[in-house]
Amino acid sequence: MKRHTGQDRSITTRWKPATQAVRGGTARSEWGETSEAIFLTSGYAYDCAGDAAARFAGEQVGMTYSRLQNPTVEMLEERIALLEGAEACRSMATGMAAMTAALLCQLSAGDHIVQGRAAFGSCRWLTDAFLPRFGIETTIVDARDPQQFEDAIRPNTKLFFFETPANPTMDIVDLEAVCGIARKHGITSVVDNAFATPVLQRPLDFGADVVAYSATKMMDGQGRVLAGAVCGTADFINNVLLPFTRNTGPTLSAFNAWVVLKGLETLDLRINRQSENALKVGSFLEKRVPRINHPGLPGHPQHNLAKRQMSACGPIFSFEVDGGRAQAHGLLDALGLIDISNNIGDSRSLMTHPASTTHSSVAEEKRLEMGVTEGMLRLNVGLEDADDLIDDLDQALDKVGL
């Protein structure tokens, strides 16, 4: 199906990211609205039966069904593609729908993938528990070492799947090195870029083939809706991914697409301010806790790599206490300003204990393999005054003896 957003891509691709985030993909109706319209419709009418046949044959521009196309959703997809520097994008109902579709659309029984050890709990469940049911094997590697990807390759290896920065350990993957290995062997690289967004890091610029997102996080950024996205070449999106999503239906609603469009307008401002706040809060915590995982701090073992491929290190990091789950939960319970929540990317500061929430579905031995300890806490730093956040953490740390 041919797609149309009302903009000339030869012009929009020349816009700076800040302009693309506000105006990219905009298609106005005959009413000339300045804010994107929400098209809450499941179906579309045709002027004649021939038009219906032509649209289903992909010979005529236009909508057929909102599981496949919707004007509001298409605006979001074009805007994300422009920000990512991608030829095309398809949106999904959730971030996990995006990750699942990005993998399953190109995998078959007998295939093998290589995955970075540190990842969101549901991503590890997908590769550890779900894919093996369909005869797809996964080798887990420490993604901080590109050579481990090379060493894990088999004749049937189809793709590399990894996240950078990784959730919640903040492992940084050398995009250029790992994606280069994949290209050399004809393997597709799929990168989960949810922690960074295209504002801070564009994996395609470093040789990645496919970039997947939970747009629920920074792209919406205010804890309102669920959404996901997958970016890549027009050939991959239209000929590999689209047949899968067309027939399985992980569809993003028009309303949620509109909310994320509004979120993208302020993404650059929010994520850079939150990154600044996170660096200030991280510098405070570095002096108070046994271990901190913040790639923006000079003490992080991959600090130089992070600075090379990211413009800033984002609002999320983790740290560890030595008292295990009891001390970690005690610290959470002592917070007065920061909310206990498993979400990230929100404009509000949120903290969670991954071992008992986001990664609780992962077996304990695998959590430890990933680096997710019972004493680890993950912090999303929001838009509040950083000094207020530091005061809240200071009093909570005092209460648990740190």
Side-chain angles (χ1 to χ4, degrees), residues 1 6 55 60 73 79 85-86 96 131 166 195 218 224 232 246 260 267 269 272 305 331 335 372 377 388 397:
M1 170 62 68
R55 290 192 197 176
Q60 183 185 92
V73 174
R79 186 168 298 178
M96 278 311 303
L131 293 184
F195 269 33
M218 261 75 72
R224 299 170 296 192
R246 176 199 299 271
V260 178
L267 174 60
L269 300 173
N272 279 294
L305 173 61
L331 196 155
L335 295 169
V372 180
L377 291 159
D388 289 335
L397 289 164

Side-chain angles (χ1 to χ4, degrees), residues 58-276:
E59 299 166 353
Q60 183 185 92
V61 173
M63 306 288 160
T64 59
Y65 191 55
S66 280
R67 177 158 49 83
L68 305 178
Q69 316 95 4
N70 175 281
T72 310
V73 174
E74 282 203 352
M75 284 189 271
L76 174 65
E77 290 169 345
E78 178 66 8
R79 186 168 298 178
I80 293 174
L82 286 167
L83 286 169
E84 193 66 47
E87 291 180 357
C89 169
R90 292 293 298 191
S91 60
M92 308 285 164
T94 68
M96 278 311 303
M99 303 302 158
T100 304
L103 299 185
L104 287 182
C105 74
Q106 55 184 316
L107 292 173
S108 300
D111 286 341
H112 170 253
I113 74 174
V114 183
Q115 182 184 16
R117 62 156 194 159
F120 177 52
S122 293
C123 289
R124 279 298 301 262
W125 180 88
L126 183 65
T127 54
D128 292 346
F130 182 72
L131 293 184
R133 291 164 52 188
F134 301 93
I136 301 166
E137 294 184 301
T138 302
T139 298
I140 301 298
V141 300
D142 186 336
R144 294 171 296 183
D145 179 7
Q147 186 61 43
Q148 292 198 23
F149 281 92
E150 180 99 47
D151 294 342
I153 293 173
R154 302 177 186 173
N156 60 334
T157 301
K158 191 69 176 287
L159 63 84
F160 290 170
F161 179 41
F162 60 90
E163 180 180 8
T164 182
N167 182 4
T169 61
M170 305 306 294
D171 289 1
I172 304 295
V173 181
D174 188 328
L175 285 163
E176 189 171 19
V178 174
C179 295
I181 292 167
R183 287 282 175 95
K184 181 176 70 173
H185 293 277
I187 295 167
T188 302
S189 53
V190 179
V191 181
D192 178 349
N193 198 41
F195 269 33
T197 81
V199 172
L200 302 185
Q201 175 177 267
R202 300 209 313 181
L204 295 179
D205 292 346
F206 296 91
D209 295 306
V210 179
V211 183
Y213 285 102
S214 171
T216 308
K217 309 303 189 286
M218 261 75 72
M219 289 186 180
D220 169 25
Q222 289 149 86
R224 299 170 296 192
V225 298
L226 301 177
V230 180
C231 299
T233 64
D235 179 64
F236 174 82
I237 296 297
N238 296 324
N239 298 320
V240 181
L241 180 66
L242 179 56
F244 177 86
T245 59
R246 176 199 299 271
N247 294 295
T248 57
T251 309
L252 179 64
S253 74
F255 178 78
N256 286 13
W258 182 84
V259 173
V260 178
L261 278 165
K262 296 294 99 182
L264 287 176
E265 292 180 4
T266 60
L267 174 60
D268 183 89
L269 300 173
R270 287 184 287 103
I271 198 167
N272 279 294
R273 176 61 181 272
Q274 288 177 251
S275 294
E276 293 172 6

